[in-house]
Amino acid sequence: MGNEKAHLAPPPTTEGGMRQRWKDRDEAEMMIDEHRFVQRGKNMLSEMRNNVHMQKGRTGFLVSETHLTRRRDGSRRGEEAGSRWPGRRKHTPMEATRRMEVGRRQEADSNSTVQKQYRDKYGQKEMIPVAANDVAFSIHAVLLTAISLIQIAIYDRGSQKISKIAIQILFVAWSTAAICFFVALHNHHWLWLLSIFTGIQISMTIIKYIPQAVMNFRRKSTDGWSIGNILLDFSGGVANYAQMAMQSIDQGSWVNFYGNIGKLLLSLVSVFFDILFMCQHYLLYPENKRKPEASHEPDNAKPSDRPLSENV
């Protein structure tokens, strides 16, 4: 009976007790090593759990107790844990968040070569003068122009066709853009390439306004032509200048004007031609001057002798 009680007694947990129970020295040393490793694993698991609780709202790592007990070298396990989670216990959550924000800013600054080249030219502290409304304006212009081209392709144009001058202008513009693109691709001068595209855009804007102004001058009339688009375009140009002025005043710098010369000149050209068209429509060739001239025409006048607006 005494032997059974001794056999059912729990095994000793001290090193001396283990040596007495197992006479074999090698087996006792192995059991002692396992006992030490289990204790170290439990201590590490307890510390990790406390660390996870302290990191409120942040991602933690679940470490199973059975995985820890299978490793033979506790110190090696600790070194691997330190390499996997470097600095976890050295920084508070606020410091870690601040470090992440600084890293994101540095990554955003280094992502765009164009932004870096712009800041190197105009200053590191200057804001890049491209807002969401500028991108929306470009998308809006491309979509409406594409719709107009589709209408030209599917609707009856009569005898109208693209002139040879227009084809030559398009060829020169696209050829210039392609050559400059490959030059910038080799040298990585993307800011220079954008300035070339800006010059092409301003040139196309001037070219597109001139034919209508010349036609109004030759006809001495603006019949068959809508002034509503001009009024809207003029309002947008004035609002664009107001936006640039407010941003410059807020930042204490006028880089929004000379740092984005393409936007400045584009608005200037649009406003200039809008004022010219409004002068033609309301001052030079107003409607009250055209009606008396049309009323004096004889009834038997030929269609070719009538104003161009009636033939349209």
Side-chain angles (χ1 to χ4, degrees):
M1 192 68 179
N3 295 335
E4 293 180 359
K5 289 183 180 182
H7 179 71
L8 295 177
T13 58
T14 61
E15 296 182 8
M18 289 182 180
R19 293 182 185 277
Q20 293 179 1
R21 184 171 181 82
W22 291 280
K23 301 297 181 67
D24 190 357
R25 182 180 181 83
D26 296 335
E27 185 178 359
E29 292 294 337
M30 183 180 65
M31 296 299 296
I32 292 171
D33 292 340
E34 288 184 1
H35 174 73
R36 291 176 179 175
F37 177 77
V38 170
Q39 293 297 328
R40 290 173 183 173
K42 290 181 179 180
N43 294 334
M44 289 181 61
L45 181 62
S46 178
E47 292 178 359
M48 290 179 184
R49 287 176 178 174
N50 295 334
N51 190 24
V52 169
H53 288 299
M54 291 177 62
Q55 301 290 339
K56 294 181 179 179
R58 299 186 61 83
T59 305
F61 297 91
L62 297 179
V63 182
S64 62
E65 185 177 357
T66 57
H67 179 70
L68 291 175
T69 56
R70 293 175 183 175
R71 301 302 300 266
R72 306 293 292 181
D73 191 356
S75 60
R76 181 181 176 185
R77 178 61 184 173
E79 293 176 359
E80 292 180 357
S83 61
R84 290 185 183 181
W85 308 299
R88 173 173 285 272
R89 302 177 186 176
K90 296 180 181 179
H91 305 290
T92 62
M94 185 177 297
E95 292 177 351
T97 304
R98 182 177 58 82
R99 289 175 177 269
M100 291 177 62
E101 292 178 357
V102 173
R104 289 174 182 174
R105 291 178 183 177
Q106 293 177 353
E107 183 179 1
D109 293 339
S110 61
N111 280 340
S112 178
T113 306
V114 179
Q115 294 180 2
K116 183 178 182 301
Q117 293 177 0
Y118 182 88
R119 288 195 171 96
D120 292 341
K121 183 177 180 180
Y122 295 102
Q124 297 294 331
K125 297 182 179 180
E126 298 293 344
M127 185 187 73
I128 297 177
V130 178
N133 61 308
D134 299 321
V135 180
F137 173 79
S138 301
I139 296 175
H140 159 266
V142 171
L143 290 178
L144 293 187
T145 303
I147 292 174
S148 300
L149 292 175
I150 294 174
Q151 290 178 339
I152 292 173
I154 63 178
Y155 294 152
D156 185 15
R157 301 191 302 270
S159 60
Q160 294 180 352
K161 61 181 181 179
I162 302 176
S163 63
K164 294 181 179 180
I165 298 177
I167 295 176
Q168 293 174 358
I169 292 173
L170 289 175
F171 177 78
V172 172
W174 283 105
S175 300
T176 304
I179 294 173
C180 294
F181 172 77
F182 286 108
V183 172
L185 184 63
H186 177 71
N187 299 325
H188 300 284
H189 294 164
W190 302 116
L191 188 62
W192 169 80
L193 180 63
L194 290 180
S195 64
I196 297 297
F197 287 168
T198 300
I200 295 175
Q201 181 184 16
I202 295 171
S203 302
M204 294 296 102
T205 303
I206 296 174
I207 293 173
K208 86 174 181 183
Y209 280 124
I210 289 178
Q212 185 64 56
V214 173
M215 181 179 290
N216 294 341
F217 172 75
R218 290 178 177 176
R219 294 171 54 198
K220 299 297 187 291
S221 173
T222 57
D223 285 342
W225 175 74
S226 175
I227 191 66
N229 291 334
I230 300 302
L231 297 177
L232 294 175
D233 193 27
F234 178 77
S235 301
V238 173
N240 179 59
Y241 280 122
Q243 175 199 359
M244 296 173 68
M246 292 179 64
Q247 288 180 344
S248 299
I249 294 173
D250 179 67
Q251 299 171 13
S253 173
W254 295 98
V255 72
N256 286 324
F257 285 90
Y258 63 83
N260 193 1
I261 194 67
K263 183 178 179 181
L264 176 66
L265 293 180
L266 185 63
S267 299
L268 182 62
V269 170
S270 299
V271 170
F272 171 78
F273 279 99
D274 291 340
I275 294 174
L276 176 62
F277 290 140
M278 287 188 290
C279 291
Q280 287 181 335
H281 186 78
Y282 293 111
L283 299 178
L284 299 178
Y285 320 120
E287 186 178 2
N288 57 2
K289 289 184 180 180
R290 296 192 299 269
K291 285 184 178 179
E293 295 177 0
S295 62
H296 291 298
E297 293 183 1
D299 297 336
N300 57 355
K302 297 180 181 179
S304 59
D305 297 335
R306 295 179 181 177
L308 183 60
S309 60
E310 297 182 7
N311 295 331
V312 178

